[in-house]
Amino acid sequence: MVEEAMQSYEQEQKFVQAVHQAIRNRYGALAAQATKRGEAIRFDREYERMRTGLMRAKNEHTLRQEIADLFARGGLNKSLQDNWRDLLPLFTGPDWKKARDLVLLALASYTGKGVEDLQAKTEESEEE
């Protein structure tokens, strides 16, 4: 029974992993650009742009645009390359709210580089 439950979430897990990879790639590109210009890396700005874009998606078409933009900005994505056929129904199918929730879950659960900066800014704003 547990094995069946885990298999039923395999598609969702692959989707979250693909989003995590897109975020990792996007943050890496932002870091490279900022370093090249000698500027501070604004992970918080990109996080907020992604979050608000997803929250503004009020139908399957606008959500699909947001997800496609996220993947496109993320560049080459091995997880997406390997699993796109399995993942396509998630963000092109009728259950678009589930896809939006999964992308927001992926955004909130991302633990790669850049998270420390976001956590520090969150803690600063909570103290004020």
Side-chain angles (χ1 to χ4, degrees), residues 84-121:
W84 71 269
R85 285 180 183 88
D86 297 331
L87 303 180
L88 199 57
L90 266 176
F91 64 96
T92 60
D95 199 3
W96 65 272
K97 290 181 182 180
K98 178 181 180 179
R100 182 185 61 193
D101 293 345
L102 287 170
V103 176
L104 289 168
L105 172 70
L107 188 60
S109 65
Y110 176 72
T111 59
K113 194 166 176 113
V115 171
E116 299 84 18
D117 294 344
L118 292 171
Q119 289 172 336
K121 290 203 184 273

mmCIF file of all heavy atoms in Angstrom, residues 84-121:
data_model
loop_
_atom_site.group_PDB
_atom_site.id
_atom_site.type_symbol
_atom_site.label_atom_id
_atom_site.label_comp_id
_atom_site.label_asym_id
_atom_site.label_seq_id
_atom_site.Cartn_x
_atom_site.Cartn_y
_atom_site.Cartn_z
ATOM 1 N N TRP A 84 10.030 15.244 -19.459
ATOM 2 C CA TRP A 84 9.028 16.189 -19.948
ATOM 3 C C TRP A 84 7.744 15.507 -20.423
ATOM 4 O O TRP A 84 6.648 16.043 -20.234
ATOM 5 C CB TRP A 84 9.602 17.106 -21.024
ATOM 6 C CG TRP A 84 9.871 16.447 -22.345
ATOM 7 C CD1 TRP A 84 11.030 15.858 -22.747
ATOM 8 C CD2 TRP A 84 8.965 16.325 -23.434
ATOM 9 N NE1 TRP A 84 10.898 15.358 -24.008
ATOM 10 C CE2 TRP A 84 9.639 15.634 -24.468
ATOM 11 C CE3 TRP A 84 7.650 16.727 -23.644
ATOM 12 C CZ2 TRP A 84 9.031 15.341 -25.681
ATOM 13 C CZ3 TRP A 84 7.049 16.438 -24.862
ATOM 14 C CH2 TRP A 84 7.736 15.758 -25.864
ATOM 15 N N ARG A 85 7.855 14.334 -21.004
ATOM 16 C CA ARG A 85 6.643 13.636 -21.477
ATOM 17 C C ARG A 85 5.728 13.265 -20.303
ATOM 18 O O ARG A 85 4.512 13.340 -20.414
ATOM 19 C CB ARG A 85 7.019 12.385 -22.260
ATOM 20 C CG ARG A 85 7.536 12.678 -23.639
ATOM 21 C CD ARG A 85 7.900 11.391 -24.378
ATOM 22 N NE ARG A 85 8.471 11.666 -25.676
ATOM 23 C CZ ARG A 85 9.759 11.884 -25.914
ATOM 24 N NH1 ARG A 85 10.618 11.858 -24.922
ATOM 25 N NH2 ARG A 85 10.195 12.138 -27.125
ATOM 26 N N ASP A 86 6.336 12.859 -19.197
ATOM 27 C CA ASP A 86 5.550 12.503 -18.010
ATOM 28 C C ASP A 86 4.977 13.736 -17.328
ATOM 29 O O ASP A 86 3.920 13.663 -16.699
ATOM 30 C CB ASP A 86 6.422 11.751 -16.994
ATOM 31 C CG ASP A 86 6.950 10.433 -17.526
ATOM 32 O OD1 ASP A 86 6.274 9.819 -18.377
ATOM 33 O OD2 ASP A 86 8.039 10.013 -17.090
ATOM 34 N N LEU A 87 5.673 14.854 -17.434
ATOM 35 C CA LEU A 87 5.284 16.063 -16.712
ATOM 36 C C LEU A 87 4.308 16.940 -17.482
ATOM 37 O O LEU A 87 3.588 17.742 -16.883
ATOM 38 C CB LEU A 87 6.529 16.874 -16.357
ATOM 39 C CG LEU A 87 7.579 16.134 -15.538
ATOM 40 C CD1 LEU A 87 8.764 17.046 -15.265
ATOM 41 C CD2 LEU A 87 6.996 15.594 -14.254
ATOM 42 N N LEU A 88 4.285 16.798 -18.775
ATOM 43 C CA LEU A 88 3.445 17.645 -19.615
ATOM 44 C C LEU A 88 1.981 17.685 -19.165
ATOM 45 O O LEU A 88 1.392 18.773 -19.088
ATOM 46 C CB LEU A 88 3.562 17.199 -21.070
ATOM 47 C CG LEU A 88 3.147 18.175 -22.141
ATOM 48 C CD1 LEU A 88 3.914 19.483 -22.030
ATOM 49 C CD2 LEU A 88 3.349 17.556 -23.515
ATOM 50 N N PRO A 89 1.364 16.550 -18.821
ATOM 51 C CA PRO A 89 -0.035 16.601 -18.387
ATOM 52 C C PRO A 89 -0.267 17.443 -17.138
ATOM 53 O O PRO A 89 -1.356 17.986 -16.945
ATOM 54 C CB PRO A 89 -0.384 15.137 -18.108
ATOM 55 C CG PRO A 89 0.594 14.336 -18.870
ATOM 56 C CD PRO A 89 1.852 15.169 -18.922
ATOM 57 N N LEU A 90 0.751 17.574 -16.298
ATOM 58 C CA LEU A 90 0.580 18.358 -15.073
ATOM 59 C C LEU A 90 0.319 19.826 -15.359
ATOM 60 O O LEU A 90 -0.505 20.451 -14.702
ATOM 61 C CB LEU A 90 1.819 18.235 -14.177
ATOM 62 C CG LEU A 90 1.773 17.169 -13.123
ATOM 63 C CD1 LEU A 90 3.092 17.093 -12.393
ATOM 64 C CD2 LEU A 90 0.643 17.364 -12.148
ATOM 65 N N PHE A 91 1.062 20.406 -16.293
ATOM 66 C CA PHE A 91 0.852 21.842 -16.496
ATOM 67 C C PHE A 91 0.154 22.186 -17.796
ATOM 68 O O PHE A 91 0.021 23.354 -18.141
ATOM 69 C CB PHE A 91 2.139 22.660 -16.297
ATOM 70 C CG PHE A 91 3.261 22.406 -17.255
ATOM 71 C CD1 PHE A 91 3.444 23.205 -18.360
ATOM 72 C CD2 PHE A 91 4.158 21.390 -17.014
ATOM 73 C CE1 PHE A 91 4.501 22.993 -19.208
ATOM 74 C CE2 PHE A 91 5.222 21.178 -17.854
ATOM 75 C CZ PHE A 91 5.392 21.980 -18.967
ATOM 76 N N THR A 92 -0.383 21.188 -18.474
ATOM 77 C CA THR A 92 -1.231 21.480 -19.632
ATOM 78 C C THR A 92 -2.613 20.867 -19.460
ATOM 79 O O THR A 92 -3.479 21.080 -20.279
ATOM 80 C CB THR A 92 -0.609 20.933 -20.936
ATOM 81 O OG1 THR A 92 -0.454 19.517 -20.824
ATOM 82 C CG2 THR A 92 0.714 21.594 -21.236
ATOM 83 N N GLY A 93 -2.810 20.128 -18.395
ATOM 84 C CA GLY A 93 -4.080 19.454 -18.169
ATOM 85 C C GLY A 93 -5.077 20.307 -17.401
ATOM 86 O O GLY A 93 -4.812 21.466 -17.068
ATOM 87 N N PRO A 94 -6.214 19.724 -17.110
ATOM 88 C CA PRO A 94 -7.300 20.471 -16.461
ATOM 89 C C PRO A 94 -7.046 20.798 -14.989
ATOM 90 O O PRO A 94 -7.686 21.689 -14.441
ATOM 91 C CB PRO A 94 -8.499 19.540 -16.607
ATOM 92 C CG PRO A 94 -7.910 18.166 -16.693
ATOM 93 C CD PRO A 94 -6.593 18.347 -17.407
ATOM 94 N N ASP A 95 -6.119 20.095 -14.354
ATOM 95 C CA ASP A 95 -5.868 20.313 -12.925
ATOM 96 C C ASP A 95 -4.750 21.332 -12.734
ATOM 97 O O ASP A 95 -3.743 21.084 -12.077
ATOM 98 C CB ASP A 95 -5.530 18.981 -12.252
ATOM 99 C CG ASP A 95 -5.723 19.045 -10.742
ATOM 100 O OD1 ASP A 95 -6.165 20.095 -10.236
ATOM 101 O OD2 ASP A 95 -5.421 18.045 -10.078
ATOM 102 N N TRP A 96 -4.932 22.521 -13.301
ATOM 103 C CA TRP A 96 -3.890 23.548 -13.299
ATOM 104 C C TRP A 96 -3.608 24.073 -11.901
ATOM 105 O O TRP A 96 -2.485 24.479 -11.602
ATOM 106 C CB TRP A 96 -4.257 24.678 -14.257
ATOM 107 C CG TRP A 96 -5.480 25.444 -13.868
ATOM 108 C CD1 TRP A 96 -6.769 25.163 -14.204
ATOM 109 C CD2 TRP A 96 -5.529 26.629 -13.081
ATOM 110 N NE1 TRP A 96 -7.613 26.093 -13.663
ATOM 111 C CE2 TRP A 96 -6.878 27.012 -12.980
ATOM 112 C CE3 TRP A 96 -4.557 27.406 -12.455
ATOM 113 C CZ2 TRP A 96 -7.285 28.131 -12.275
ATOM 114 C CZ3 TRP A 96 -4.964 28.526 -11.747
ATOM 115 C CH2 TRP A 96 -6.316 28.881 -11.669
ATOM 116 N N LYS A 97 -4.606 24.061 -11.025
ATOM 117 C CA LYS A 97 -4.377 24.550 -9.666
ATOM 118 C C LYS A 97 -3.399 23.652 -8.919
ATOM 119 O O LYS A 97 -2.582 24.131 -8.132
ATOM 120 C CB LYS A 97 -5.696 24.664 -8.904
ATOM 121 C CG LYS A 97 -6.570 25.796 -9.412
ATOM 122 C CD LYS A 97 -7.848 25.890 -8.628
ATOM 123 C CE LYS A 97 -8.712 27.008 -9.189
ATOM 124 N NZ LYS A 97 -9.973 27.135 -8.462
ATOM 125 N N LYS A 98 -3.461 22.368 -9.189
ATOM 126 C CA LYS A 98 -2.509 21.433 -8.587
ATOM 127 C C LYS A 98 -1.096 21.763 -9.063
ATOM 128 O O LYS A 98 -0.158 21.789 -8.267
ATOM 129 C CB LYS A 98 -2.880 20.001 -8.963
ATOM 130 C CG LYS A 98 -1.935 18.955 -8.433
ATOM 131 C CD LYS A 98 -2.397 17.571 -8.884
ATOM 132 C CE LYS A 98 -1.501 16.483 -8.384
ATOM 133 N NZ LYS A 98 -1.986 15.146 -8.813
ATOM 134 N N ALA A 99 -0.949 22.026 -10.351
ATOM 135 C CA ALA A 99 0.360 22.372 -10.901
ATOM 136 C C ALA A 99 0.879 23.659 -10.261
ATOM 137 O O ALA A 99 2.051 23.752 -9.889
ATOM 138 C CB ALA A 99 0.286 22.512 -12.415
ATOM 139 N N ARG A 100 0.008 24.658 -10.113
ATOM 140 C CA ARG A 100 0.430 25.911 -9.483
ATOM 141 C C ARG A 100 0.895 25.656 -8.055
ATOM 142 O O ARG A 100 1.930 26.164 -7.619
ATOM 143 C CB ARG A 100 -0.701 26.931 -9.494
ATOM 144 C CG ARG A 100 -0.270 28.274 -8.876
ATOM 145 C CD ARG A 100 -1.385 29.254 -8.771
ATOM 146 N NE ARG A 100 -2.424 28.717 -7.909
ATOM 147 C CZ ARG A 100 -3.645 29.235 -7.809
ATOM 148 N NH1 ARG A 100 -3.990 30.272 -8.533
ATOM 149 N NH2 ARG A 100 -4.528 28.701 -7.000
ATOM 150 N N ASP A 101 0.137 24.843 -7.320
ATOM 151 C CA ASP A 101 0.500 24.534 -5.948
ATOM 152 C C ASP A 101 1.837 23.798 -5.880
ATOM 153 O O ASP A 101 2.646 24.051 -4.990
ATOM 154 C CB ASP A 101 -0.592 23.706 -5.270
ATOM 155 C CG ASP A 101 -1.882 24.490 -5.064
ATOM 156 O OD1 ASP A 101 -1.857 25.736 -5.186
ATOM 157 O OD2 ASP A 101 -2.913 23.856 -4.786
ATOM 158 N N LEU A 102 2.069 22.899 -6.824
ATOM 159 C CA LEU A 102 3.339 22.160 -6.843
ATOM 160 C C LEU A 102 4.518 23.087 -7.136
ATOM 161 O O LEU A 102 5.587 22.942 -6.542
ATOM 162 C CB LEU A 102 3.283 21.026 -7.867
ATOM 163 C CG LEU A 102 2.430 19.823 -7.467
ATOM 164 C CD1 LEU A 102 2.254 18.882 -8.661
ATOM 165 C CD2 LEU A 102 3.054 19.090 -6.291
ATOM 166 N N VAL A 103 4.323 24.048 -8.043
ATOM 167 C CA VAL A 103 5.408 24.986 -8.339
ATOM 168 C C VAL A 103 5.668 25.879 -7.128
ATOM 169 O O VAL A 103 6.822 26.146 -6.777
ATOM 170 C CB VAL A 103 5.105 25.832 -9.599
ATOM 171 C CG1 VAL A 103 6.198 26.852 -9.829
ATOM 172 C CG2 VAL A 103 4.954 24.947 -10.809
ATOM 173 N N LEU A 104 4.613 26.319 -6.465
ATOM 174 C CA LEU A 104 4.796 27.117 -5.250
ATOM 175 C C LEU A 104 5.466 26.293 -4.149
ATOM 176 O O LEU A 104 6.318 26.803 -3.419
ATOM 177 C CB LEU A 104 3.455 27.677 -4.772
ATOM 178 C CG LEU A 104 2.879 28.783 -5.638
ATOM 179 C CD1 LEU A 104 1.428 29.058 -5.269
ATOM 180 C CD2 LEU A 104 3.714 30.049 -5.528
ATOM 181 N N LEU A 105 5.093 25.013 -4.044
ATOM 182 C CA LEU A 105 5.754 24.113 -3.100
ATOM 183 C C LEU A 105 7.235 23.994 -3.433
ATOM 184 O O LEU A 105 8.088 24.065 -2.548
ATOM 185 C CB LEU A 105 5.090 22.733 -3.126
ATOM 186 C CG LEU A 105 5.797 21.640 -2.329
ATOM 187 C CD1 LEU A 105 5.676 21.909 -0.835
ATOM 188 C CD2 LEU A 105 5.219 20.277 -2.684
ATOM 189 N N ALA A 106 7.542 23.842 -4.705
ATOM 190 C CA ALA A 106 8.944 23.735 -5.130
ATOM 191 C C ALA A 106 9.698 25.017 -4.800
ATOM 192 O O ALA A 106 10.835 24.963 -4.328
ATOM 193 C CB ALA A 106 9.018 23.439 -6.624
ATOM 194 N N LEU A 107 9.068 26.149 -5.022
ATOM 195 C CA LEU A 107 9.712 27.429 -4.728
ATOM 196 C C LEU A 107 9.990 27.559 -3.227
ATOM 197 O O LEU A 107 11.086 27.950 -2.821
ATOM 198 C CB LEU A 107 8.814 28.568 -5.219
ATOM 199 C CG LEU A 107 9.374 29.970 -5.180
ATOM 200 C CD1 LEU A 107 10.630 30.097 -6.034
ATOM 201 C CD2 LEU A 107 8.307 30.947 -5.686
ATOM 202 N N ALA A 108 9.022 27.185 -2.419
ATOM 203 C CA ALA A 108 9.173 27.294 -0.968
ATOM 204 C C ALA A 108 10.122 26.252 -0.401
ATOM 205 O O ALA A 108 10.757 26.488 0.635
ATOM 206 C CB ALA A 108 7.810 27.168 -0.293
ATOM 207 N N SER A 109 10.251 25.109 -1.056
ATOM 208 C CA SER A 109 11.082 24.035 -0.509
ATOM 209 C C SER A 109 12.479 23.998 -1.118
ATOM 210 O O SER A 109 13.290 23.157 -0.727
ATOM 211 C CB SER A 109 10.401 22.677 -0.737
ATOM 212 O OG SER A 109 10.304 22.376 -2.120
ATOM 213 N N TYR A 110 12.781 24.914 -2.004
ATOM 214 C CA TYR A 110 14.097 24.936 -2.632
ATOM 215 C C TYR A 110 15.169 25.183 -1.567
ATOM 216 O O TYR A 110 15.044 26.070 -0.733
ATOM 217 C CB TYR A 110 14.155 26.022 -3.707
ATOM 218 C CG TYR A 110 15.510 26.156 -4.335
ATOM 219 C CD1 TYR A 110 15.983 25.189 -5.202
ATOM 220 C CD2 TYR A 110 16.329 27.235 -4.036
ATOM 221 C CE1 TYR A 110 17.245 25.297 -5.773
ATOM 222 C CE2 TYR A 110 17.590 27.353 -4.603
ATOM 223 C CZ TYR A 110 18.038 26.378 -5.466
ATOM 224 O OH TYR A 110 19.288 26.481 -6.022
ATOM 225 N N THR A 111 16.237 24.384 -1.598
ATOM 226 C CA THR A 111 17.278 24.490 -0.572
ATOM 227 C C THR A 111 18.659 24.771 -1.148
ATOM 228 O O THR A 111 19.648 24.639 -0.446
ATOM 229 C CB THR A 111 17.359 23.194 0.261
ATOM 230 O OG1 THR A 111 17.636 22.092 -0.621
ATOM 231 C CG2 THR A 111 16.086 22.943 1.024
ATOM 232 N N GLY A 112 18.727 25.161 -2.384
ATOM 233 C CA GLY A 112 20.021 25.394 -3.010
ATOM 234 C C GLY A 112 20.614 26.737 -2.661
ATOM 235 O O GLY A 112 20.155 27.454 -1.767
ATOM 236 N N LYS A 113 21.649 27.074 -3.402
ATOM 237 C CA LYS A 113 22.363 28.328 -3.184
ATOM 238 C C LYS A 113 21.399 29.510 -3.359
ATOM 239 O O LYS A 113 20.572 29.517 -4.239
ATOM 240 C CB LYS A 113 23.505 28.437 -4.188
ATOM 241 C CG LYS A 113 24.491 29.504 -3.860
ATOM 242 C CD LYS A 113 25.738 29.322 -4.688
ATOM 243 C CE LYS A 113 26.673 30.469 -4.420
ATOM 244 N NZ LYS A 113 27.858 30.100 -3.745
ATOM 245 N N GLY A 114 21.532 30.485 -2.513
ATOM 246 C CA GLY A 114 20.663 31.650 -2.555
ATOM 247 C C GLY A 114 19.620 31.644 -1.458
ATOM 248 O O GLY A 114 19.084 32.679 -1.098
ATOM 249 N N VAL A 115 19.350 30.480 -0.892
ATOM 250 C CA VAL A 115 18.347 30.368 0.151
ATOM 251 C C VAL A 115 18.773 31.099 1.413
ATOM 252 O O VAL A 115 17.960 31.734 2.085
ATOM 253 C CB VAL A 115 18.028 28.885 0.446
ATOM 254 C CG1 VAL A 115 17.150 28.734 1.666
ATOM 255 C CG2 VAL A 115 17.358 28.255 -0.755
ATOM 256 N N GLU A 116 20.064 31.062 1.719
ATOM 257 C CA GLU A 116 20.548 31.734 2.928
ATOM 258 C C GLU A 116 20.241 33.233 2.867
ATOM 259 O O GLU A 116 19.830 33.825 3.861
ATOM 260 C CB GLU A 116 22.057 31.523 3.103
ATOM 261 C CG GLU A 116 22.475 30.079 3.244
ATOM 262 C CD GLU A 116 22.660 29.366 1.902
ATOM 263 O OE1 GLU A 116 22.797 30.033 0.858
ATOM 264 O OE2 GLU A 116 22.636 28.133 1.903
ATOM 265 N N ASP A 117 20.426 33.827 1.686
ATOM 266 C CA ASP A 117 20.134 35.250 1.526
ATOM 267 C C ASP A 117 18.652 35.528 1.731
ATOM 268 O O ASP A 117 18.271 36.510 2.376
ATOM 269 C CB ASP A 117 20.554 35.738 0.137
ATOM 270 C CG ASP A 117 22.053 35.701 -0.071
ATOM 271 O OD1 ASP A 117 22.798 35.596 0.924
ATOM 272 O OD2 ASP A 117 22.478 35.786 -1.239
ATOM 273 N N LEU A 118 17.809 34.668 1.188
ATOM 274 C CA LEU A 118 16.363 34.843 1.342
ATOM 275 C C LEU A 118 15.958 34.696 2.798
ATOM 276 O O LEU A 118 15.137 35.466 3.302
ATOM 277 C CB LEU A 118 15.614 33.823 0.486
ATOM 278 C CG LEU A 118 15.723 34.003 -1.024
ATOM 279 C CD1 LEU A 118 15.119 32.806 -1.744
ATOM 280 C CD2 LEU A 118 15.048 35.285 -1.468
ATOM 281 N N GLN A 119 16.527 33.712 3.503
ATOM 282 C CA GLN A 119 16.196 33.499 4.907
ATOM 283 C C GLN A 119 16.652 34.676 5.766
ATOM 284 O O GLN A 119 15.943 35.106 6.667
ATOM 285 C CB GLN A 119 16.821 32.196 5.412
ATOM 286 C CG GLN A 119 16.146 30.974 4.838
ATOM 287 C CD GLN A 119 16.869 29.685 5.173
ATOM 288 O OE1 GLN A 119 18.054 29.671 5.443
ATOM 289 N NE2 GLN A 119 16.135 28.583 5.144
ATOM 290 N N ALA A 120 17.813 35.216 5.462
ATOM 291 C CA ALA A 120 18.310 36.364 6.226
ATOM 292 C C ALA A 120 17.408 37.577 6.042
ATOM 293 O O ALA A 120 17.094 38.270 7.006
ATOM 294 C CB ALA A 120 19.736 36.697 5.801
ATOM 295 N N LYS A 121 16.956 37.816 4.822
ATOM 296 C CA LYS A 121 16.068 38.943 4.561
ATOM 297 C C LYS A 121 14.727 38.747 5.240
ATOM 298 O O LYS A 121 14.139 39.698 5.757
ATOM 299 C CB LYS A 121 15.884 39.153 3.065
ATOM 300 C CG LYS A 121 17.139 39.678 2.402
ATOM 301 C CD LYS A 121 16.806 40.374 1.126
ATOM 302 C CE LYS A 121 18.078 40.809 0.444
ATOM 303 N NZ LYS A 121 18.547 42.091 0.878
#
